Amino acid sequence: MSLAQRGNYSALTLKCFQEQRLKGCSMSEKYRWAQSGDINAFFGLMLDNMAGLILIVSLLKQNFGFPVEFALQYMIPGTALGVLVGDLAYFFLAFRLAKSSGSRTVTAMPLGLDTPSTFGMVFLVLGPAFLAAKNSGLDDSAAAMSAWRIGICCIFVSGIIKLLCAFGSGWVRNAIPRAGLLGSLAAIALVLIAFLPLLEILHFPIVGLVALAIILTALVGRVPLPFKLPGAVGGLIVAGSLYLVMSLLGLLGEHQQPLFDPSSGLWPTAWLEALQFGWLSNMGETLRYLPIVVPFALATVVGGIDCTESAAAAGDHYHTNTIIGIEAVATLVASFFGAVIQTTPYIGHPAYKAMGGRAAYTLATAILMGALGMTGLFGYFYQFIPKAAVYPILVFVGLEIAAQSFLATPRRHYPAVALACVPALANLAVFLVNQLWGDGALFSNQINLGSLQNQELVNNLKTTSMLASGFILTSVFWASALAMAIDRRLNAAAYFYFVAAVCTLFGLMHSPLPNAPILSPFSLGILPEMAVLPSEHWPAVRSWTIGYLLVGGLMLAWGHYLKVSGQTKVPADHDMH
């Protein structure tokens, strides 16, 4: 999900699409794969992906001190290659659909970097892995190498999961309610995708507020810009020009973006080291990040199903398993070349169709993104495009993902989606605390100031940290359990609580330790000390685990009562409350 999901597939718009489809064409007519509408569609899709690449480098640099040159030479080429492979495959898939359906108005499925995964990988995997490696004594270069290899492992695992789901995509939807997966996405969208970029925007308020106002007015308000400019392009032109003028006049002062030599990333070859598969040796370290990786992978599977359905409503009937399978292969191929962000189909297919796009826009995006990433020319874009002019796109993305999470969920499940946002707020609080006192300070007594008031604050922060640990899984389980309870399926709710108890027991969520390692609560006489939870943290883990088990048992007993009393039916007016 990303900028592409701009809500343009209203009932009226879909009706227009269906009318176009009825006009159709005979099997003998040639598919018109390139039209003027592909220009607008190209800028929308290209800028979406460009913002994703900028995010990877800038967020790692600003928040974790990650070396920019390393990111440009090792991470960006393979990540851009994933977009190249996926969009090329969807380009040819559009031709196949046009041939089989006889339609000359087929629009290719858009594909790009998954925005929620970008934030998740940066803040929850790559950044923490980099800091953990530095804390172990490695220098910046060696720590960056370790984080890169862990990132590759994560993307490889994501590709495998998605490939398996491609053969049974319906299973994911049946196993986890939409409020669970989409609720966790809404949480990430509001807390990470919308809020954190907003801070960067407001570092340059003269430029940032102008760009934000243009993009939100054009894309959310759907107010047309002169010359039919796409909202993202208009915001970039106006705000970018304003930034340039202020820079030339010396009005930016301390807010001037730091410079580096973009040519240091030209024609990179270091990323080819990934083809030696040395990163497989880091798979063991990657296990601790699986609670983050798996939900993101499953979310893109559900997103792929939604994308296919929205495309069908617009008149292009793609096969769901094919759409998911292609993007799974694109993710896997990208991992072989050093990618650190997974690809995903964008749910904005109807929006691109409304622009008049056919298949040329995905071809152009594939070629440009591949060229910029693998030649190193992206470094110049990163250097000279002001972040304050690009990041408002992400605020829009966050708002759209959050809105779509509610729209795609039954109304009665809205409270479950809202509940999913709470653990993410805890993660934001801990993130800011760690920036102030250092990662892991909450559990090292570095901020224990001794007084009762401050000790209470420390205890509250420690509880917040445990809530934040593995917050994506927590969001999924809490929202799913509440959605099941709303539907009076209390036995199903109990199962989510029982799984949450198991995950808590082994540190997949609510870990009291920095970096949330997966540990056994018991040594069993055979496990090494490093694989066992330290005894001083056992009381906290035990309390959370018992809590989940008690709630699960309560749900089972309550569900039995409803069944015996014949009150399992959901009230007809439930959606009205």
Side-chain angles (χ1 to χ4, degrees):
M1 298 181 179
S2 190
L3 172 63
Q5 36 177 278
R6 57 190 63 187
N8 284 351
Y9 40 101
S10 62
L12 179 60
T13 306
L14 293 181
K15 181 179 179 182
C16 295
F17 291 153
Q18 290 164 353
E19 289 175 354
Q20 292 176 4
R21 181 165 57 97
L22 290 176
K23 295 178 183 179
C25 62
S26 68
M27 291 294 291
S28 61
E29 291 181 302
K30 191 174 181 180
Y31 171 43
R32 298 181 179 179
W33 61 275
Q35 294 196 144
S36 59
D38 281 294
I39 298 175
N40 276 340
F42 161 71
F43 276 107
L45 185 59
M46 180 272 294
L47 286 175
D48 229 345
N49 283 284
M50 187 65 70
L53 293 182
I54 291 174
L55 270 178
I56 298 169
V57 182
S58 60
L59 292 180
L60 282 173
K61 173 61 178 177
Q62 293 167 7
N63 295 284
F64 302 99
F66 198 95
V68 171
E69 288 78 6
F70 186 97
L72 293 176
Q73 294 172 1
Y74 286 82
M75 294 180 168
I76 294 301
T79 303
L81 183 67
V83 178
L84 168 65
V85 172
D87 273 322
L88 275 181
Y90 282 163
F91 170 74
F92 290 112
L93 187 63
F95 277 83
R96 193 175 79 173
L97 179 61
K99 182 178 180 180
S100 62
S101 66
S103 172
R104 59 182 176 182
T105 61
V106 170
T107 296
M109 186 70 75
L111 175 140
L113 301 177
D114 183 43
T115 304
S117 296
T118 301
F119 280 88
M121 286 294 293
V122 167
F123 285 108
L124 306 176
V125 177
L126 297 173
F130 174 71
L131 294 181
K134 286 188 65 177
N135 291 337
S136 69
L138 298 179
D139 59 24
D140 281 3
S141 179
M145 177 66 71
S146 175
W148 177 51
R149 289 178 172 176
I150 290 174
I152 297 173
C153 290
C154 289
I155 301 306
F156 175 76
V157 171
S158 295
I160 294 295
I161 293 172
K162 293 192 286 189
L163 193 60
L164 293 175
C165 289
F167 297 101
S169 52
W171 172 84
V172 176
R173 302 186 80 174
N174 293 330
I176 303 176
R178 283 197 167 193
L181 283 176
L182 297 185
S184 62
L185 284 182
I188 294 167
L190 291 175
V191 174
L192 296 181
I193 300 178
F195 179 77
L196 290 179
L198 190 62
L199 297 181
E200 177 67 22
I201 292 168
L202 297 180
H203 286 163
F204 305 84
I206 296 177
V207 176
L209 287 175
V210 169
L212 182 65
I214 292 174
I215 287 174
L216 292 184
T217 302
L219 298 183
V220 177
R222 302 179 192 173
V223 178
L225 283 168
F227 311 111
K228 297 182 179 180
L229 281 176
V233 177
L236 184 60
I237 291 175
V238 175
S241 300
L242 182 59
Y243 181 91
L244 178 61
V245 171
M246 293 181 65
S247 178
L248 293 175
L249 295 177
L251 299 178
L252 292 175
E254 62 181 18
H255 295 302
Q256 180 77 41
Q257 291 183 191
L259 298 179
F260 73 101
D261 182 9
S263 64
S264 62
L266 283 178
W267 298 108
T269 57
W271 57 282
L272 294 173
E273 181 181 327
L275 290 174
Q276 299 176 15
F277 296 97
W279 45 269
L280 288 173
S281 62
N282 292 78
M283 193 62 74
E285 299 175 67
T286 306
L287 292 178
R288 70 175 64 175
Y289 300 106
L290 290 186
I292 299 166
V293 173
V294 173
F296 277 125
L298 294 179
T300 61
V301 172
V302 174
I305 297 170
D306 291 338
C307 291
T308 309
E309 291 179 354
S310 67
D316 295 336
H317 296 269
Y318 290 102
H319 193 273
T320 304
N321 289 355
T322 303
I323 291 296
I324 297 174
I326 286 177
E327 73 110 345
V329 170
T331 298
L332 272 177
V333 171
S335 72
F336 296 153
F337 289 91
V340 292
I341 305 296
Q342 66 176 340
T343 56
T344 184
Y346 285 170
I347 204 169
H349 171 280
Y352 291 117
K353 197 173 188 73
M355 294 178 192
R358 294 295 178 257
Y361 81 102
T362 57
L363 175 64
T365 300
I367 294 174
L368 181 63
M369 294 303 297
L372 291 178
M374 290 185 284
T375 63
L377 290 174
F378 167 75
Y380 288 94
F381 280 81
Y382 173 77
Q383 175 69 68
F384 298 112
I385 294 180
K387 312 303 182 294
V390 175
Y391 281 10
I393 297 175
L394 299 168
V395 176
F396 164 72
V397 170
L399 296 177
E400 282 297 306
I401 292 177
Q404 289 300 321
S405 296
F406 281 95
L407 290 174
T409 303
R411 186 176 179 181
R412 64 182 181 277
H413 290 169
Y414 283 4
V417 177
L419 178 64
C421 296
V422 176
L425 293 175
N427 182 74
L428 175 62
V430 172
F431 173 76
L432 296 176
V433 168
N434 287 340
Q435 280 196 319
L436 181 62
W437 280 302
D439 194 37
L442 288 174
F443 299 101
S444 60
N445 294 321
Q446 294 177 19
I447 59 174
N448 186 346
L449 303 182
S451 71
L452 178 62
Q453 180 179 359
N454 285 324
Q455 184 59 52
E456 184 177 355
L457 171 61
V458 171
N459 291 336
N460 287 337
L461 288 175
K462 287 182 176 181
T463 301
T464 302
S465 182
M466 290 189 70
L467 176 58
S469 178
F471 78 93
I472 297 177
L473 278 182
T474 305
S475 294
V476 171
F477 291 144
W478 283 14
S480 298
L482 181 56
M484 294 294 98
I486 291 171
D487 290 343
R488 298 198 175 181
R489 298 173 57 190
L490 298 190
N491 286 353
Y495 297 145
F496 282 107
Y497 287 120
F498 288 144
V499 175
V502 174
C503 291
T504 300
L505 192 62
F506 290 94
L508 292 170
M509 48 194 277
H510 307 316
S511 173
L513 296 172
N515 301 318
I518 298 176
L519 299 173
S520 170
F522 313 108
S523 67
L524 302 176
I526 57 173
L527 294 177
E529 183 179 352
M530 61 180 298
V532 180
L533 178 73
S535 58
E536 64 267 25
H537 296 295
W538 168 240
V541 173
R542 179 182 58 201
S543 296
W544 284 77
T545 303
I546 292 176
Y548 279 122
L549 291 175
L550 288 177
V551 173
L554 174 64
M555 291 295 109
L556 289 179
W558 203 341
H560 178 71
Y561 163 75
L562 291 180
K563 184 177 180 180
V564 171
S565 60
Q567 301 181 63
T568 57
K569 185 176 181 180
V570 180
D573 63 343
H574 211 315
D575 277 344
M576 300 302 292
H577 298 283

